[in-house]
Amino acid sequence: MRIRLSVAGLCVVLAWCAALSCTQAEESGGLSKELHGVNTVALRRAIEDLAQSFPDQYPHGAEYLRRLTALEKEVETLLAEPEEQPEKAQQVIENLKSLKAEALLANPLLDFDRLLLVKRGEGALGLPQNWQGNCAVAPRGYDNEIAILSPVRPDGALTTFYRPENDAFVGDVDLHFDADRMLFSMPGSHGHWQIWEIGADGTGLRQVTRGEEPDVHNYDACYLPNDRIVFASTRVFQGIPCVGGADRVANLFLMDADGGNTRQLCFDQDHNWCPTVLNNGRVLYTRWEYSDTAHYFSRILFSMNPDGTNQAEYYGSNSYWPNSTFYARPIPGHPTAVVAIVSGHHGVPRMGELVILDPAISRFESDGVVQRIPGYSEPVEAVTVDHLVDDVWPKFLHPYPLSDKYFLVSCKPTPESLWGIYLVDVFDNMLLLQEIPGYALFEPVPFRPTPRPPVVPDRVRLDQDKATVYLVDIY
């Protein structure tokens, strides 16, 4: 039987054949790229570390390493000619992904079955710019809620814990040390931002800040070891100079658990952000210094006693890197190291690189960087530029350290990716725990009790109208 084709028909057949060849080439090339992209070295580092650190709680380490070695040999063989065995290559890739998930999820530090997080529609992320506080973003217009992931793994269920009414913002979640209640920011009295509290069982919702002033915003609170609360407030009635005062400044204040006895702690020209408690009981926060310095590069880490005394630089004074440091948290059990987000001044809001800093090594620029994640054994350069992280990927938000090596974090790996919750480590592994199409997942916090830091006794003398200043060197 003969098949007769016109010239036009022949062109269609040739075009189809060419397209098929291109598709096959793309598939084989994609498999080769994916095989090359499997970081077995990083996975081996983590398995070896977990087996050594937790010999009794991580019993299958040797088995994971045997499986990994066998898969590495298969990868090496396939990389020679991956197009010859596309189905085999795809199976090896799936086996590697499965082993990675199994080995990393067996981490004994994941010894909790519920993870608190904020789920927010990706159309309105509610992230202030790096010179702003919450009151600069709309208090309403959000599809968001506090949610719980359980179990804490990719196949875990995401359920609603608390969903605000009338599309109000809910965020800045701070879980109490006893895990029996939590603080968060949400619109309240006079339509302004207020501090709210709710019980761990979802009952007892109450506005903590009194909200008596019709023109004051209160937000971003944290519990202290003595159960008092530190929070940011615009009751200082100051404006940011570079925008002509259009954005309000918030300084840190102290109040009792019932919202009474409010007292100002910081007296700064510009913002204080992200208060949290260090392992020694002092308060860590970000302070924007604006006097006699280039304001693009001056959001540095500060610490103070919970009563506001002994305010001192923690990291970054007189440095032009990092431009901004947000969401810093202390490394569990470590006397000085913290994990934080390094961001710019203008550009992307609050998000940026995930960096471990240790002021015991150095407080200056990148000299005290333990590691950037990912970036195993790579030096971190102190780059002086305004839009510091606009073109950097992956981007991170809201880190929560499980140890000095393993972290929960909100991450957007590529410009096309969703904001998901990841388990990451210093060995360059990144494991997706949860993502939801159309939503960003922020603020991961294990829903469990944590050690209560020591209570630092008050030193301030409220009955005195004079202060004692210790000046070491005025120069």
Side-chain angles (χ1 to χ4, degrees), residues 452-471:
R452 189 186 295 245
V455 174
V456 178
D458 285 357
R459 292 176 171 84
V460 66
R461 295 286 302 274
L462 298 179
D463 59 338
Q464 301 290 317
D465 58 3
K466 294 181 180 180
T468 301
V469 177
Y470 295 93
L471 204 57

Side-chain angles (χ1 to χ4, degrees), residues 399-470:
Y400 189 97
L402 300 173
S403 73
D404 60 339
K405 299 173 184 174
Y406 301 93
F407 306 83
L408 298 170
V409 68
S410 178
C411 176
K412 185 179 175 72
T414 70
E416 296 76 29
S417 303
L418 299 169
W419 280 101
I421 303 299
Y422 284 76
L423 172 66
V424 303
D425 58 43
V426 296
F427 308 110
D428 284 358
N429 295 291
M430 293 179 56
L431 180 67
L432 176 64
L433 295 179
Q434 189 71 218
E435 64 180 14
I436 304 293
Y439 288 88
L441 302 184
F442 293 149
E443 303 188 41
V445 176
F447 204 164
R448 63 171 180 189
T450 52
R452 189 186 295 245
V455 174
V456 178
D458 285 357
R459 292 176 171 84
V460 66
R461 295 286 302 274
L462 298 179
D463 59 338
Q464 301 290 317
D465 58 3
K466 294 181 180 180
T468 301
V469 177
Y470 295 93

Side-chain angles (χ1 to χ4, degrees), residues 38-107:
V38 176
N39 195 341
T40 58
V41 177
L43 181 56
R44 180 175 294 277
R45 292 188 198 113
I47 294 173
E48 290 175 344
D49 174 74
L50 290 168
Q52 181 178 0
S53 302
F54 307 99
D56 298 328
Q57 300 161 280
Y58 195 75
H60 303 298
E63 175 200 339
Y64 295 147
L65 291 174
R66 284 194 297 270
R67 289 164 58 186
L68 181 59
T69 299
L71 286 169
E72 285 175 323
K73 291 178 180 177
E74 291 188 74
V75 169
E76 186 177 350
T77 301
L78 287 166
L79 281 174
E81 294 180 325
E83 67 277 2
E84 298 297 327
Q85 303 181 67
E87 293 183 1
K88 175 67 173 176
Q90 192 61 56
Q91 185 59 55
V92 169
I93 291 168
E94 292 304 315
N95 290 342
L96 278 168
K97 290 179 178 179
S98 177
L99 174 60
K100 176 182 176 180
E102 183 180 349
L104 297 182
L105 288 172
N107 188 332

